Amino acid sequence: MLQNHPGDSLMEDDETQRAIRDAVLSEEPNLAGLPPRIAIYRQLVRNTLSEVVHKLLARTREHMGPAFDDSFARFLEEHGPRTHYLRDVPREFVVWATPYWRETGAAAWVVDLARHELTCFGVSTAPRLAEPRAVDVAIDRPLLLSSLVRMEHYAYAVHEPLPPPPRATTLLYYRDHEHLLRTLELSPLAAAILERAALPLKDAIAEGCSETNIPMNDDTLASVARLLADLGDRGVLLGAV
């Protein structure tokens, strides 16, 4: 994230580099003894980091207000980005901020909301890779889901207007045929089956029914068939392995 300028002898000294890093990431930096341009460099770096975090966590920041900015400033000073990629900074920040937000009295659903926003970004920007060859869905074959599909579990329905209702929620994230991000709230049984997509379908259904205490009868099997047809129409289910 912080790079040397070729030929700049001040940047070659380890102690000076540490001083520059501290000056960039500290909320109240000590710029004494550093070149004047470091103040400008500091502002550029912090603005760039803030911009990407604000963009990816817009709803979280809108709710938290100044507390969000204060926690991000604290993250920069106490931890700082470890990644070389700007897109990964918001995730590093949320990992660091999760215990901090809980300790400082943020709304209980804030962490879920931040995770939701990060997952939306991840699925929206994931490269579309070549998919394995699919065959027809059969009871003795594992399901083949799109590589772009993600599932996340939350204690709050964070895809609904804020403040989200406290409801155990599993969201499936995918891109539609026009490559637009979509989310689908899954029933407990649907989530349990899709989490076991690597098993033969009959085993995934049996274990899913057992986990959710739903009888595996004709009505249940019919509902599973409707689920799989719907997922196929959405491009989530490609077929079977």
Side-chain angles (χ1 to χ4, degrees):
M1 193 70 69
L2 306 181
Q3 299 181 354
N4 295 351
H5 293 270
D8 191 338
S9 60
L10 285 174
M11 298 293 183
E12 295 174 358
D13 179 79
D14 288 344
E15 185 176 345
T16 303
Q17 286 208 40
R18 285 194 295 271
I20 292 171
R21 184 182 186 280
D22 291 343
V24 169
L25 298 180
S26 297
E27 183 68 6
E28 298 181 358
N30 179 13
L31 300 176
L34 294 175
R37 65 177 176 275
I38 297 303
I40 300 175
Y41 183 55
R42 174 182 186 276
Q43 195 61 45
L44 288 174
V45 171
R46 292 178 71 91
N47 286 348
T48 300
L49 295 173
S50 296
E51 184 177 352
V52 69
V53 169
H54 293 174
K55 182 176 181 180
L56 268 60
L57 299 171
R59 292 178 70 203
T60 307
R61 181 173 183 251
E62 181 181 6
H63 162 73
M64 294 185 68
F68 181 95
D69 295 333
D70 291 345
S71 61
F72 183 63
R74 194 180 186 99
F75 162 73
L76 292 180
E77 184 161 12
E78 294 185 1
H79 186 274
R82 300 295 191 264
T83 177
H84 294 290
Y85 302 100
L86 278 173
R87 67 175 181 269
D88 294 333
V89 173
R91 185 172 299 280
E92 288 189 347
F93 167 53
V94 171
V95 170
W96 176 89
T98 294
Y100 177 73
W101 286 342
R102 288 170 176 162
E103 291 169 4
T104 54
W109 45 266
V110 160
V111 173
D112 276 4
L113 177 60
R115 288 175 49 219
H116 171 59
E117 291 195 280
L118 290 176
T119 305
C120 286
F121 172 75
V123 175
S124 295
T125 58
R128 184 175 288 278
L129 305 176
E131 302 284 5
R133 186 176 69 88
V135 297
D136 291 339
V137 173
I139 200 71
D140 58 345
R141 294 172 177 161
L143 298 176
L144 179 60
L145 304 179
S146 166
S147 61
L148 298 178
V149 168
R150 302 286 186 275
M151 283 195 300
E152 293 287 346
H153 300 285
Y154 304 104
Y156 294 82
V158 287
H159 58 307
E160 297 185 5
L162 301 182
R167 183 177 76 242
T169 301
T170 301
L171 292 183
L172 182 143
Y173 301 77
Y174 67 99
R175 296 214 301 256
D176 65 17
H177 299 295
E178 297 180 351
H179 307 293
L180 299 176
L181 174 71
R182 303 293 183 190
T183 60
L184 177 66
E185 183 174 352
L186 299 175
S187 70
L189 177 59
I193 292 173
L194 294 183
E195 286 176 336
R196 295 167 171 80
L199 298 178
L201 179 56
K202 60 183 178 181
D203 296 334
I205 295 173
E207 291 187 16
C209 287
S210 176
E211 179 180 299
T212 56
N213 296 315
I214 294 176
M216 192 168 67
N217 53 29
D218 289 343
D219 289 341
T220 299
L221 294 177
S223 70
V224 171
R226 290 192 295 271
L227 167 70
L228 298 181
D230 180 47
L231 295 179
D233 290 341
R234 294 172 184 268
V236 171
L237 177 63
L238 305 181
V241 177

